[in-house]
Amino acid sequence: LNVYVFLTMVGWGKNILMEQIQALPPDELAAVFGKGIPPVVLESDAIGAKRFWPRVRRTIVDADAPVGEHLFLNKNFPPNAWAGARRKLEEFCEEGGLALRLHAIVPESAGEAYNPFGLLDLAVCLLSVQTREGHANLGAESEATASVAAMFYSFYNMKGGRAGFLATATKDLTPSIISVPWLRPGSECPLDVRDEITRLLDATRATRRPPPGPFRGGAARARPGNPPDSFRSLDAAASVKVG
């Protein structure tokens, strides 16, 4: 059983990617997955955090409804989740009599000295989260988007930056890393955006809350999901629609 997990941040666009894959015509699906039918996708936000892993187990183990050969887990898996996720999947596959082939989907990025993702990655993800509508947990109406996005980014902080991250993922999770381009070549993070993001990260590390100002939501702002004006230039950075 090929199981795909996302080593990503909130707002990267997992839902959009899954929709695009499931909408592929049968001949393209067959070329990629061996059969002309869409792969099974389990979305954590739709299922619920407490019901997610029981659903994964039932999907893998249930002999009356075979999962097929490919299973996508639409959920963010930062480094602190790798050991538990791999252990669960190994147990479920053993119970179901299946051989596990685990794959990690990772957005391409130059990263920072201390993180596999750059500040531009975080800024574009934050823009996506703060402008999306109708999301079950985080979206335009939530005051927690900035602090949650910053928290997820900090989960990936590690020695060695991008190289250290890939080496650790290969060792602790899976050697099968699928690198996905997502920012347009040559995209750079404007200086004023870097300043805003750095301020957000510093404040969130210190207080677990976003700083006063453009990242605040709710009644403190005219429109709850309105990101800083400086972020408007980031719409063109993503090579695919994010959300």
Side-chain angles (χ1 to χ4, degrees):
L1 174 63
N2 294 281
V3 180
Y4 304 82
V5 297
F6 289 87
L7 311 191
T8 50
M9 297 178 286
V10 294
W12 178 68
K14 299 182 303 301
N15 291 355
I16 298 296
L17 179 61
M18 290 295 89
E19 290 172 5
Q20 292 174 341
I21 288 177
Q22 292 188 301
L24 290 173
D27 59 333
E28 293 187 31
L29 286 169
V32 176
F33 299 107
K35 294 182 179 179
I37 57 175
V40 174
V41 177
L42 297 181
E43 182 184 344
S44 177
D45 287 333
I47 296 170
K50 293 183 179 180
R51 296 188 296 273
F52 180 73
W53 284 112
R55 175 72 68 82
V56 174
R57 178 188 174 277
R58 289 197 304 271
T59 301
I60 293 175
V61 173
D62 189 356
D64 295 329
V67 65
E69 298 179 2
H70 301 273
L71 173 63
F72 283 83
L73 302 185
N74 187 348
K75 174 182 173 68
N76 295 303
F77 288 88
N80 60 2
W82 293 351
R86 183 176 182 85
R87 183 178 65 253
K88 288 183 176 73
L89 291 170
E90 288 173 340
E91 291 174 354
F92 299 161
C93 285
E94 182 177 1
E95 185 179 356
L98 301 171
L100 173 65
R101 292 186 290 274
L102 186 58
H103 310 278
I105 298 173
V106 182
E108 287 186 0
S109 175
E112 302 288 339
Y114 58 90
N115 195 293
F117 302 114
L119 295 186
L120 178 59
D121 297 285
L122 174 56
V124 175
C125 286
L126 180 56
L127 175 66
S128 169
V129 173
Q130 290 202 306
T131 54
R132 65 188 179 186
E133 303 289 343
H135 192 272
N137 300 314
L138 292 172
E141 300 305 314
S142 173
E143 295 190 21
T145 55
S147 56
V148 170
M151 179 179 67
F152 257 92
Y153 183 82
S154 69
F155 286 160
Y156 288 93
N157 286 345
M158 62 176 59
K159 184 178 179 180
R162 184 76 175 184
F165 163 78
L166 293 175
T168 302
T170 298
K171 175 177 176 290
D172 295 347
L173 185 63
T174 176
S176 178
I177 306 293
I178 301 173
S179 185
V180 179
W182 84 293
L183 295 180
R184 296 187 188 281
S187 296
E188 296 182 359
C189 192
L191 183 59
D192 53 353
V193 172
R194 290 187 67 91
D195 290 344
E196 292 280 9
I197 288 294
T198 300
R199 189 168 68 93
L200 169 64
L201 290 171
D202 290 344
T204 304
R205 275 194 295 267
T207 65
R208 293 295 179 184
R209 295 174 60 85
F215 290 105
R216 296 293 295 179
R221 303 227 317 263
R223 289 197 297 130
N226 187 29
D229 290 339
S230 58
F231 278 44
R232 293 304 177 187
S233 62
L234 300 180
D235 279 329
S239 59
V240 297
K241 179 177 173 59
V242 295

